[in-house]
Amino acid sequence: MRTGLQTARAIAAGDISAQEALADCIARIEATDDEVNAFTDRTFDRADREALAVDRRRAAGEPLPALAGVPYAVKNLFDVEGLVTRAGSRVLLGNAPAVADAVLVQRLQVAGAVLVGGLNMDEFAYGFTTENSHYGPCRNPRDLTRVAGGSSGGSGAAVAAGQVPITLGSDTNGSIRVPSSFCGVFGLKPTFGRLTRRGSFPFVSSIDHLGPFARSAEDLAASYDAMQGADPLDPGCHATRVQPTLGSIGQGIAGLRIGALGGYFDENAGPQARKALADVAALLKAAPNVVWPDAAEARAAAFITSASEGGALHLSNLRVRSRDFEPLSVDRFISGALQPAEWYLRAQRFRSVYRQKVIALFGQWDVLLAAATPVQAPVVGSETFDLNGAAMPTRPSIGLLTQPISFAGCPVVAVPCWPQGADGLPIGVQVITAPWHEDLALRVAHFLETEGLCSAPVAAIASLVAGRPSQDFESDGGFSES
Amino acid sequence: MKPIQDPPWTDADTADYVRIAARLQALPLDEPQVRRVALHLGRTRAMAQMLTRFELTPHEEITEIFCPAPFPPGDDAVSATPMADTPGAST
């Protein structure tokens, strides 16, 4: 099954049409989504128009943009013109449809990509499992009894299931990296403030990031590059120019100072997470046991900030219709709304100090590594998971390893690893770099991929036998030739 | 600096806080929900205590709209979307 860039190149070369690529994609969605439940909205009519436009441009001999004809889908907190922006909720269903696409969707359209639909998520992005009571859980294509992760579960699952080669998600405390880890795909959480968030429903304005999922590091880079650019209308968008990454992705790792995080990041990693990190660290010849500053405090501050901002954002609806909220997260929102202001202010003051320490750390290192999740994907409905002998509450604890990093705003590529081999479950490793250095993280991810350690094969949903993980497969051509 | 002494605090105190704070915020909660919310708040309180023990001077201000590091200076006139027939081309 082609990656996004393979699709774009095949269309540009005339091997397939954009409409044929779209037909393959739709067939795959229709064959698999009853089981995976990644999609909440299907924009097939729009996709038809966009694919036809690409084919007409090619027929007219026009040069095609980088992602021409590449099908993609977006977490349903992105505005899509004509759709109500659900953000995983029931509460927002009464709103008017969006009058315009989110800015990142507009930019992908300019790049020629074809929007196929909206994707399942944890309500209002407050979760790590996409066990959504309104729309049903999103299931992990690697093992349908397990969660896809969250809150961008549909985004991770749709890529893992081979439904679309590229999706968009959001990441506040881990919501791109966790689904990437659980579903065995690549995910990019860019630097905080890199990509405009205009036209997406917020969770925690202080920490929300938007970014892509894909089955290859090149696809991450290509989609990320297409979405970059200044946005003076988004006060949270600090990037004033584009810094392309695809052209340098093959430059390898020579000369990079690479370290593997220990301490907190080792203590909160289970055996498979540690093995995955060890495998990556060995290939990259990373120095061991690098200490990340104040990780536990940063996680606490991220937790408090998220609870306060999230709770405050939804307080008016919580007052009058809390029964319409997701039962798994409504009490956490209420708790956040009741937190003393001093907790939140202290967390924000801590962040100023923390930022300087992290910047200083990256004076000594170019790349740092840590597992993305403490454990592999839990079974749907799990209330606890075992972490080195301790029973941890599942939903608040999955982000133990991601929260300190996103609170610092550092860019991260989550790379999929298979510590138990191809028949086992995946688990991700975070490739972390200094702010504004997504290029280095993508270079490392691409190196790991080309060396064969990290891969994102399409899950064969149809071959699942109850209670056993899917057998994964990789094919070179399209899912169906036409 | 003297270590901060946490005052005695019980789960019942957290539930009392939730009841009163919810009323202040016009949040109608029944008793089972008070207990569930209190459980979450108690967990967060433990995290807040971690930050209370972290030394901050009065001069550490709350962070502005967060920027992880200054955006590097450079040429602003760069396009990010190469043409499909030159894959990987940087611009």
Side-chain angles (χ1 to χ4, degrees):
Chain A
M1 190 168 291
R2 293 187 184 92
T3 65
L5 283 180
Q6 288 171 345
T7 300
R9 289 166 188 153
I11 291 170
D15 297 339
I16 59 169
S17 68
Q19 292 168 90
E20 287 167 341
L22 175 61
D24 287 348
C25 161
I26 289 173
R28 181 67 176 170
I29 292 169
E30 291 178 339
T32 58
D33 208 52
D34 280 351
E35 293 177 275
V36 176
N37 197 30
F39 279 81
T40 54
D41 302 89
R42 299 179 183 193
T43 56
F44 293 169
D45 288 346
R46 169 181 173 150
D48 279 338
R49 292 193 298 274
E50 292 179 335
L52 181 60
V54 169
D55 287 336
R56 283 176 173 163
R57 289 178 70 175
R58 190 183 182 280
E62 295 176 23
L64 296 179
L67 299 176
V70 176
Y72 76 106
V74 300
K75 188 175 186 179
N76 69 33
L77 54 68
F78 285 85
D79 286 348
V80 173
E81 184 182 348
L83 293 186
V84 172
T85 304
R86 302 170 190 263
S89 76
R90 181 189 298 169
V91 166
L92 298 185
L93 285 183
N95 288 358
V99 297
D101 292 337
V103 173
L104 295 189
V105 174
Q106 292 176 28
R107 290 178 178 176
L108 287 179
Q109 187 178 55
V110 168
V114 171
L115 181 64
V116 174
L119 296 165
N120 204 351
M121 59 179 282
D122 282 298
E123 182 178 82
F124 295 129
Y126 205 1
F128 286 123
T129 63
T130 311
E131 293 165 297
N132 188 305
S133 300
H134 311 307
Y135 302 106
C138 180
R139 294 183 176 274
N140 192 322
R142 309 294 177 188
D143 178 344
L144 295 175
T145 68
R146 296 178 185 268
V147 299
S151 60
S152 312
S155 305
V159 170
Q163 294 173 337
V164 283
I166 293 171
T167 58
L168 297 190
S170 69
D171 188 315
T172 303
N173 291 296
S175 293
I176 288 174
R177 293 162 287 162
V178 169
S180 296
S181 178
F182 287 173
C183 293
V185 298
F186 291 84
L188 169 62
K189 183 202 75 62
T191 305
F192 182 79
R194 169 71 81 178
L195 296 182
T196 174
R197 301 174 306 188
R198 192 155 54 96
S200 65
F201 195 88
F203 170 29
V204 184
S205 296
S206 293
I207 325 176
D208 289 345
H209 309 62
L210 303 179
F213 293 77
R215 286 194 294 112
S216 73
E218 284 190 323
D219 273 7
L220 283 187
S223 52
Y224 164 66
D225 285 352
M227 291 188 287
Q228 288 192 57
D231 185 359
L233 297 181
D234 177 3
C237 183
H238 303 303
T240 58
R241 73 179 192 285
V242 174
Q243 295 181 302
T245 59
L246 186 59
S248 62
I249 203 170
Q251 288 182 5
I253 63 168
L256 294 180
R257 301 166 298 170
I258 305 176
L261 296 176
Y264 172 95
F265 291 91
D266 181 68
E267 291 153 16
N268 289 293
Q272 299 307 325
R274 287 174 176 163
K275 180 168 190 312
L277 176 63
D279 291 344
V280 169
L283 183 58
L284 298 177
K285 299 183 173 53
N289 297 320
V290 177
V291 177
W292 184 276
D294 304 318
E297 288 83 359
R299 189 247 174 170
F303 202 100
I304 288 167
T305 300
S306 301
S308 274
E309 290 194 21
L313 183 65
H314 295 289
L315 184 55
S316 57
N317 276 326
L318 287 168
R319 287 181 175 124
V320 296
R321 48 185 312 197
S322 66
R323 284 186 172 75
D324 290 334
F325 277 68
E326 166 65 62
L328 294 175
S329 55
V330 65
D331 297 327
R332 297 173 67 195
F333 273 121
I334 293 172
S335 171
L338 301 180
Q339 286 178 177
E342 192 273 339
W343 292 2
Y344 173 79
L345 293 170
R346 193 163 188 91
Q348 293 286 33
R349 290 173 64 208
F350 163 83
R351 201 178 191 189
S352 296
V353 175
Y354 180 57
R355 168 172 51 194
Q356 294 311 116
K357 291 185 177 184
V358 170
I359 289 174
L361 179 67
F362 279 105
Q364 304 163 49
W365 301 99
D366 298 306
V367 181
L368 294 170
L369 308 167
T373 49
V375 295
Q376 294 156 314
V379 171
V380 174
S382 298
E383 294 297 325
T384 62
F385 66 83
D386 180 87
L387 181 58
N388 302 325
M392 306 294 287
T394 301
R395 295 177 191 99
S397 305
I398 286 176
L400 276 167
L401 303 178
T402 48
Q403 285 178 284
I405 312 300
S406 33
F407 198 61
C410 295
V412 182
V413 174
V415 294
C417 300
W418 305 83
Q420 297 160 307
D423 289 342
L425 289 170
I427 192 165
V429 167
Q430 299 182 84
V431 178
I432 307 160
T433 54
W436 314 117
H437 283 287
E438 288 85 342
D439 60 323
L440 298 184
L442 287 162
R443 274 169 57 184
V444 171
H446 181 68
F447 175 83
L448 292 168
E449 186 182 358
T450 55
E451 290 294 307
L453 183 63
C454 298
S455 63
V458 172
I461 312 298
S463 68
L464 176 72
V465 175
R468 288 198 284 115
S470 311
Q471 296 302 305
D472 297 323
F473 76 95
E474 184 68 52
S475 65
D476 292 330
F479 191 66
S480 61
E481 294 297 327
S482 57
Chain B
M1 195 170 173
K2 281 188 189 174
I4 296 165
Q5 298 290 333
D6 295 327
W9 188 263
T10 66
D11 292 345
D13 291 328
T14 304
D16 284 344
Y17 173 89
V18 169
R19 274 187 216 96
I20 296 295
R23 278 179 56 203
L24 182 66
Q25 293 280 30
L27 276 163
L29 304 185
D30 57 26
E31 268 309 298
Q33 193 164 29
V34 166
R35 287 192 289 275
R36 291 196 304 270
V37 172
L39 186 65
H40 290 297
L41 194 62
R43 180 181 296 139
T44 313
R45 180 173 178 267
M47 297 194 195
Q49 288 173 316
M50 198 185 299
L51 291 185
T52 302
R53 290 187 283 269
F54 188 91
E55 283 207 31
L56 290 170
T57 73
H59 302 291
E60 267 98 40
E61 300 181 7
I62 59 173
T63 191
E64 70 289 5
I65 289 180
F66 186 72
C67 183
F71 191 75
D75 182 357
D76 283 345
V78 178
S79 166
T81 311
M83 290 298 109
D85 60 358
T86 54
S90 61
T91 55

